[in-house]
Amino acid sequence: MQANNPSLEMLASLYTGTTVEEVIGLKALDPEMKANDPNAAGLLDERDSLKDLRKEFRLPTNKGIKATSVADDLQEEPCVYFVGKSLGPLAKRSQELLNEELDIWSRIGVTGHFDHPMQRDWMTLANKATKLMVPIVGANEEEIATMGTLTANLHLMMGSFYKPTKERYTILCEIKPFPSDEYAFASQAALHGFDPSTTVVHLMPRPNEHTLRTSDILDAIKEHSSSLALVLLSGVQYYTGQYFAIPEITKAAHEAGALCGWDLAHAVGNVPLKLHDWNVDFAVWCTYKYLNSGPGGIGGLFVHEKWHKEKGVQYAGWWGHDEATRFQMPPVFQPIPGAQGFQQSNPSVLNLASLLGSLEVFSRVHPTDPMSVLREKSIRATAYLETLLRSTRFFVGPHDGEKVLKGQVMTGDNKPMKGAFTILTPRAKEERGAQLSLLFGEEAMPTLFAEMVKRGVIGDERHPGIIRYAPAPLYCSFEDVRKCVATLVEVLNSL
């Protein structure tokens, strides 16, 4: 297999009815400039309406990530931080709120629960976060709870929604879900007396493909309809970056007589969601990725209002009790109506403060629909990244992924190309968020990753062979994209 070097004209065919320059917004700024012009990034940044939001974050520095190959005078400058799909950066507002809450705790102690000097009573602080989550997940306030952590919330939701019978017991998920999901599915099946190896059905891509076709998912739902109890997929798949067709899959699950839940860890804050309108039964998420709440930040869950009376709380805790009488400590549990009745323990105020700081930045983008605004830039930045990557001499088609992984891609003179790579993430903007998963040779990838970090570009690695880059629109620039690809080419040429 020999590597190729696609032209921008060939790349334009990825975007039906338009050119790459139109997709990334360059043609409107300079009709003559091409996407691979090194000046394009600066022009795109200059006209970016969201560019000032970058100043709202404390981006890790070159010195901080140990970018030892970066010049001394640039060590304190921000690195190219393309790893927000693992851990978002610190919002300055989050740091302010954290410092304020620590100070208030030191001065007034327990009275902060009910008499907060800045009108942020700890008793109801989670409610403030929940209000700001409404436009991000597309739900009614009573359908959302800001609480717990992702896997704990997943178990809570499966405890209420996964009720297998001898006839209906199958859990349908994608191959290689995030490991914690895999463990949860298996343990829930076993808890009900079923064998996980036959109860949890994994959807596989077609041969020589890396992502799932929506039509194949819908066909699998029909195929397993007689035994199907629950369809539970990732909104955005963590490994490949595929954004699943949530409304279509949810509808198909319901038509098959099953319920449909979603792990939105890599989707929330990344792509627009309309959980209520899409009739999703339940969903769970974390907030430390695209929502930037900090390491191990608080999670969240969604329960559609149609289930609020039928799906009762099975594992009650005092924070899910009616707020009006919670501190009267009654012996009988009276749940808050809706998703917030699933709350158990009082949430960490510091975790909430950190989340609130970032959510306030989201609300500055647009008070009622921030995700549509962010999505527009996300599509452009990700397309720009893809365009520059595909125009390098090291790119090969994804159908040759196995050869890439094994280091079997050959140059024109029939020599091994050590730096050959492909992209696993779907090309269509409807099937991806702000993430591209690049596949390199299994042996070469660790060195490539380390050299990129030394030069001030950080993504994250997933063995074997994957480096994921995420140009999150809140704080990443088009110049970041250009630097990322230019640095990658420099590293690949050095092999």
Side-chain angles (χ1 to χ4, degrees), residues 86-165:
S86 287
L87 179 67
L90 172 65
K92 294 178 181 178
R93 180 58 176 155
S94 294
Q95 190 164 16
E96 290 175 0
L97 290 176
L98 282 166
N99 289 337
E100 289 173 4
E101 295 303 342
L102 288 170
D103 177 65
I104 290 166
W105 175 25
S106 73
R107 290 190 293 106
I108 69 172
V110 71
T111 58
H113 283 93
F114 302 101
D115 190 18
H116 196 286
M118 304 185 78
Q119 288 72 54
R120 290 197 301 266
D121 290 356
W122 298 338
M123 160 85 167
T124 57
L125 192 60
N127 298 346
K128 292 183 178 293
T130 297
K131 288 179 186 294
L132 294 177
M133 287 296 303
V134 166
I136 293 176
V137 301
N140 300 326
E141 187 175 341
E142 63 271 15
E143 294 176 314
I144 306 169
T146 303
M147 58 173 282
T149 54
L150 190 150
T151 306
N153 290 343
L154 178 58
H155 276 293
L156 284 174
M157 292 293 93
M158 292 189 74
S160 290
F161 286 89
Y162 180 58
K163 301 293 186 182
T165 66

Side-chain angles (χ1 to χ4, degrees), residues 17-229:
T18 188
T19 66
V20 170
E21 287 74 22
E22 287 175 306
V23 171
I24 67 175
L26 183 61
K27 186 173 183 179
L29 305 178
D30 186 335
E32 303 301 320
M33 187 175 288
K34 295 298 182 182
N36 58 357
D37 188 313
N39 296 313
L43 184 57
L44 291 168
D45 281 331
E46 181 183 332
R47 303 296 180 87
D48 178 17
S49 62
L50 301 178
K51 63 183 178 182
D52 288 340
L53 293 176
R54 180 180 174 93
K55 301 174 184 176
E56 299 300 319
F57 292 88
R58 298 193 182 280
L59 296 172
T61 63
N62 290 311
K63 181 179 180 180
I65 67 166
K66 299 181 180 179
T68 54
S69 296
V70 173
D72 289 345
D73 61 339
L74 297 176
Q75 283 292 311
E76 297 300 333
E77 292 298 311
C79 68
V80 175
Y81 195 75
F82 275 10
V83 71
K85 44 114 178 66
S86 287
L87 179 67
L90 172 65
K92 294 178 181 178
R93 180 58 176 155
S94 294
Q95 190 164 16
E96 290 175 0
L97 290 176
L98 282 166
N99 289 337
E100 289 173 4
E101 295 303 342
L102 288 170
D103 177 65
I104 290 166
W105 175 25
S106 73
R107 290 190 293 106
I108 69 172
V110 71
T111 58
H113 283 93
F114 302 101
D115 190 18
H116 196 286
M118 304 185 78
Q119 288 72 54
R120 290 197 301 266
D121 290 356
W122 298 338
M123 160 85 167
T124 57
L125 192 60
N127 298 346
K128 292 183 178 293
T130 297
K131 288 179 186 294
L132 294 177
M133 287 296 303
V134 166
I136 293 176
V137 301
N140 300 326
E141 187 175 341
E142 63 271 15
E143 294 176 314
I144 306 169
T146 303
M147 58 173 282
T149 54
L150 190 150
T151 306
N153 290 343
L154 178 58
H155 276 293
L156 284 174
M157 292 293 93
M158 292 189 74
S160 290
F161 286 89
Y162 180 58
K163 301 293 186 182
T165 66
K166 291 182 179 180
E167 293 76 28
R168 285 190 176 271
Y169 52 85
T170 298
I171 299 171
L172 192 66
C173 66
E174 80 269 25
I175 190 68
K176 208 170 185 175
F178 192 76
S180 196
D181 287 7
E182 190 85 81
Y183 309 153
F185 302 159
S187 62
Q188 286 286 333
L191 180 67
H192 291 281
F194 291 89
D195 181 355
S197 66
T198 55
T199 301
V200 183
V201 175
H202 297 86
L203 297 167
M204 298 281 292
R206 296 186 184 189
N208 297 318
E209 296 185 8
H210 304 282
T211 56
L212 291 163
R213 299 188 186 189
T214 300
S215 60
D216 289 347
I217 298 174
L218 302 182
D219 287 345
I221 291 173
K222 291 180 181 178
E223 178 187 347
H224 294 278
S225 60
S226 63
S227 69
L228 193 58

Side-chain angles (χ1 to χ4, degrees), residues 22 105 207 236 394-395:
E22 287 175 306
W105 175 25
V236 172
F394 298 96
F395 175 79

